[in-house]
Amino acid sequence: MKLYLFYFLLFSQMGLIAQEAASYQIRTVAFYNLENLFDTKNDTLIFDDDRTPTGKDYWTEERYINKVAQMSKVISEIGSIENKTAPDIIGVCEVENLKVLQDLVHHNSLTQTNYGIIHFDSPDERGIDVALLYKKDAFIPVNFNSHRLLLFDLDGKRNYTRDQLIVEGLLDNEKIYFLVNHWPSRSGGEARSRPYRLEAAKLNKRIIDSVRRQDINAKIISMGDFNDDPVDPSFKKILNVQKSYKNLDSLSLYGPMEKLYRKGKGSLAYRDKWNLFDQLYMTSTLLDKKKHTYSYWKAGIFTPSYLMDPKGKYKGYPLRTYAGGSYIGGYSDHFPVYLYLIKKAKP
């Protein structure tokens, strides 16, 4: 979609204003934690018993259909403030399998979008995976792979978690890489679980470094539910993600979400504290000020009022599917996040 931006240059000595119009192509990249998008069938290979009609959550076909409708509605509107269409690229997590993704993209809210799906089954004990959805008329996948994160506790027991997905492709004939993540949770406490997320950050860095060894100018966007905030050690000590354009070199990573976090913004809330676990960050190759190729413009958190709890103790928090063990028919316990890529359109 084309975006028209106007730049004003003030000549104070002459008291004149000169106006120059430029036309830009815009693409939206987003991420959304779909909060346990499970089908209703009991898969004996994973711990999905709660999300079945006879399970603790009483997960019926009616509730599943409503959940798919809710998620598809949200996805269709992410980033629509500037780009009047659904995201061109969207990473998702907490999906049970390929079937629920197919049901999602074939819902009436998204049918016209014509999304393709890239998905692998992860070894996560609950069976939740990550995936990438992409508009077939905007992005052509060239190569994709799923990287396993091997974790072990102090007793040497395997801790099964989600894989990290990398997709290489052509966005309007420009090569770009997308990484989709869902790092280990904070179960057991932040400090106790921190080593697992540090290992996830190391894997993320190894994947990015391996791409750069092949192409130092590669454009890479990593997105996901990291279960860490932008200021946590995984981002600051392992990945070295910077919040400012200043002092960035060719190997630097830029994270636009930290500025939002420091302003008190978040994508989820827990115990009266906002966290910004849902993030996107990128290589400095996406920070071209001249915008001759796709470059970063701005990022945000998608927070329309219908995604928020309207009243009570949790007013303003994400309106969840379940709360306190009871079904309330909301959307997700996370808000989606997004960024815009723009480039100058050809005359």
Short mmCIF file of all heavy atoms in Angstrom, two decimals, residues 1 99 113 121 123-125 141 203 244 258 301 311 335 343:
data_model
loop_
_atom_site.label_atom_id
_atom_site.label_comp_id
_atom_site.label_asym_id
_atom_site.label_seq_id
_atom_site.Cartn_x
_atom_site.Cartn_y
_atom_site.Cartn_z
N MET A 1 0.85 -1.20 0.00
CA MET A 1 0.00 0.00 0.00
C MET A 1 0.88 1.24 0.00
O MET A 1 1.93 1.27 0.62
CB MET A 1 -0.90 -0.01 1.24
CG MET A 1 -1.86 1.14 1.31
SD MET A 1 -2.99 0.98 2.70
CE MET A 1 -3.99 2.42 2.43
N LYS A 99 -3.57 -27.48 11.59
CA LYS A 99 -5.01 -27.38 11.35
C LYS A 99 -5.59 -26.07 11.90
O LYS A 99 -6.40 -25.42 11.24
CB LYS A 99 -5.74 -28.56 11.99
CG LYS A 99 -7.26 -28.47 11.86
CD LYS A 99 -7.98 -29.53 12.64
CE LYS A 99 -9.50 -29.41 12.51
NZ LYS A 99 -10.02 -28.12 13.00
N THR A 113 -7.30 -12.09 2.35
CA THR A 113 -5.89 -11.76 2.55
C THR A 113 -4.97 -12.76 1.86
O THR A 113 -3.85 -12.43 1.49
CB THR A 113 -5.57 -11.71 4.06
OG1 THR A 113 -6.52 -10.86 4.70
CG2 THR A 113 -4.18 -11.18 4.31
N ASP A 121 6.16 -28.57 13.73
CA ASP A 121 5.80 -29.04 15.07
C ASP A 121 7.02 -28.95 15.98
O ASP A 121 8.10 -29.43 15.64
CB ASP A 121 5.31 -30.49 15.02
CG ASP A 121 3.91 -30.60 14.43
OD1 ASP A 121 3.04 -29.80 14.82
OD2 ASP A 121 3.70 -31.47 13.57
N PRO A 123 8.83 -29.62 19.93
CA PRO A 123 8.76 -30.67 20.95
C PRO A 123 8.15 -30.21 22.27
O PRO A 123 8.17 -30.96 23.24
CB PRO A 123 10.23 -31.04 21.14
CG PRO A 123 10.98 -29.78 20.87
CD PRO A 123 10.20 -29.09 19.77
N ASP A 124 7.62 -28.99 22.33
CA ASP A 124 7.02 -28.47 23.54
C ASP A 124 6.02 -29.47 24.11
O ASP A 124 5.22 -30.06 23.38
CB ASP A 124 6.31 -27.14 23.23
CG ASP A 124 5.64 -26.53 24.45
OD1 ASP A 124 6.30 -25.79 25.18
OD2 ASP A 124 4.44 -26.82 24.65
N GLU A 125 6.05 -29.65 25.44
CA GLU A 125 5.22 -30.68 26.07
C GLU A 125 3.73 -30.42 25.90
O GLU A 125 2.92 -31.35 25.84
CB GLU A 125 5.58 -30.78 27.56
CG GLU A 125 6.98 -31.34 27.78
CD GLU A 125 7.35 -31.40 29.25
OE1 GLU A 125 6.65 -30.77 30.07
OE2 GLU A 125 8.33 -32.08 29.58
N PRO A 141 8.43 -17.10 0.03
CA PRO A 141 9.43 -17.82 0.82
C PRO A 141 10.43 -18.55 -0.10
O PRO A 141 10.04 -19.16 -1.09
CB PRO A 141 8.61 -18.83 1.62
CG PRO A 141 7.20 -18.36 1.52
CD PRO A 141 7.08 -17.64 0.22
N LEU A 203 20.91 -18.92 21.08
CA LEU A 203 20.51 -19.59 19.84
C LEU A 203 20.07 -18.57 18.81
O LEU A 203 20.42 -18.66 17.62
CB LEU A 203 19.38 -20.59 20.11
CG LEU A 203 18.78 -21.28 18.88
CD1 LEU A 203 19.85 -22.04 18.10
CD2 LEU A 203 17.65 -22.21 19.29
N SER A 244 18.66 3.00 20.52
CA SER A 244 18.88 4.24 19.78
C SER A 244 19.65 3.97 18.50
O SER A 244 20.42 3.01 18.40
CB SER A 244 19.68 5.23 20.64
OG SER A 244 20.04 6.37 19.89
N GLU A 258 12.08 -0.88 23.25
CA GLU A 258 12.57 -0.42 24.55
C GLU A 258 12.04 0.97 24.89
O GLU A 258 11.71 1.26 26.06
CB GLU A 258 14.10 -0.44 24.60
CG GLU A 258 14.64 -0.04 25.98
CD GLU A 258 16.14 -0.18 26.11
OE1 GLU A 258 16.77 -0.80 25.23
OE2 GLU A 258 16.69 0.35 27.10
N ILE A 301 2.19 -0.99 19.63
CA ILE A 301 1.43 -2.06 20.28
C ILE A 301 -0.03 -1.85 19.88
O ILE A 301 -0.56 -0.75 20.03
CB ILE A 301 1.59 -2.00 21.80
CG1 ILE A 301 3.06 -2.01 22.21
CG2 ILE A 301 0.86 -3.18 22.45
CD1 ILE A 301 3.31 -1.66 23.67
N LYS A 311 -13.72 -3.44 32.66
CA LYS A 311 -14.08 -3.01 34.02
C LYS A 311 -13.39 -3.87 35.06
O LYS A 311 -12.74 -4.87 34.75
CB LYS A 311 -15.60 -3.10 34.20
CG LYS A 311 -16.16 -4.50 33.98
CD LYS A 311 -17.68 -4.51 34.08
CE LYS A 311 -18.22 -5.92 33.82
NZ LYS A 311 -19.70 -5.97 33.92
N PHE A 335 -1.32 -8.37 23.97
CA PHE A 335 -1.63 -7.49 22.85
C PHE A 335 -0.66 -7.79 21.71
O PHE A 335 0.50 -8.13 21.95
CB PHE A 335 -1.47 -6.02 23.24
CG PHE A 335 -2.47 -5.52 24.25
CD1 PHE A 335 -2.06 -4.70 25.30
CD2 PHE A 335 -3.81 -5.83 24.15
CE1 PHE A 335 -2.97 -4.23 26.24
CE2 PHE A 335 -4.74 -5.35 25.08
CZ PHE A 335 -4.30 -4.55 26.12
N LYS A 343 9.46 2.11 1.80
CA LYS A 343 10.48 2.48 0.81
C LYS A 343 9.84 3.41 -0.20
O LYS A 343 8.61 3.40 -0.40
CB LYS A 343 11.07 1.26 0.11
CG LYS A 343 10.15 0.53 -0.83
CD LYS A 343 10.89 -0.56 -1.55
CE LYS A 343 9.98 -1.36 -2.49
NZ LYS A 343 10.72 -2.41 -3.20
#
